[in-house]
Amino acid sequence: MAIERTLAIIKPDAVGRGLTGEILSRIHAAKFYIIAIKTRRLTRKEAEGFYAVHRERPFFEELTTFMSTSKVVVMVLEAENAIAKWREVMGATDPAKAAPGTIRKELGASIQYNCTHGSDATDTAALEISYFFSGSELV
Ligand code: GDP
């Protein structure tokens, strides 16, 4: 298995509910190395750019409004097989369908308010990391 990096976001619902520490604990427990971390409030345009792949979906407007309402925590996580591993720790998109023990199952409120984001493939991970972090932040 290869060492990979993935982009993780603690979304506004989780930050607003005071779940940042709980989610960071789970990241440590799963033995990810946090390469970079910062808080940001996304602009509407940044949220739209980040989720551009969903532009045609009916929930695009609601999703990008939600993602730009208040602060998020953005992180680059490193581990063996980090992309799939972080998606496993997060659980399925819809908390109702997520496996027991996952972040989304235990902390998520709805399919939209599901606490965290994780890249879904090697190419999207590279793109998403570069969306928020410059090379000098990743050394
Ligand atoms: P992810 O990779 O598991 O985050 O899922 P997607 O890439 O399919 O969707 C991106 C984000 O859009 C999800 O994490 C949710 O916050 C939101 N989302 C996905 N499906 C729906 C939906 O049917 N309704 C709403 N309101 N939001 C959704």
Side-chain angles (χ1 to χ4, degrees):
M1 267 189 284
I3 297 285
E4 291 176 339
R5 290 181 178 185
T6 192
L7 184 87
I9 303 179
I10 304 177
K11 294 182 178 181
D13 58 323
V15 175
R17 288 165 58 212
L19 296 172
T20 300
E22 166 69 29
I23 292 169
L24 288 174
S25 298
R26 287 169 183 251
I27 287 169
H28 286 293
K31 302 203 184 319
F32 288 98
Y33 180 51
I34 300 176
I35 298 286
I37 181 167
K38 60 189 170 190
T39 59
R40 283 284 315 278
R41 177 166 176 188
L42 304 189
T43 64
R44 183 61 188 263
K45 278 214 166 344
E46 280 177 316
E48 287 174 358
F50 185 75
Y51 280 118
V53 66
H54 292 312
R55 194 168 288 280
E56 304 305 324
R57 308 282 286 277
F59 56 84
F60 181 71
E61 168 121 21
E62 204 186 347
L63 172 63
T64 53
T65 299
F66 157 55
M67 287 299 290
S68 56
T69 47
S70 57
K71 281 207 168 185
V72 297
V73 180
V74 285
M75 283 169 280
V76 177
L77 304 181
E78 185 176 273
E80 268 192 13
N81 212 17
I83 297 166
K85 180 173 162 163
W86 173 234
R87 289 190 67 88
E88 210 176 298
V89 172
M90 290 198 305
T93 308
D94 183 352
K97 295 179 184 154
T102 60
I103 290 171
R104 285 165 164 178
K105 180 69 174 186
E106 294 191 352
L107 307 175
S110 70
I111 193 164
Q112 178 168 276
Y113 300 129
N114 59 6
C115 296
T116 50
H117 168 84
S119 311
D120 64 358
T122 314
D123 54 344
T124 47
L127 194 72
E128 290 179 0
I129 289 169
S130 69
Y131 200 78
F132 290 110
F133 294 95
S134 65
S136 63
E137 291 174 289
L138 299 171
V139 290

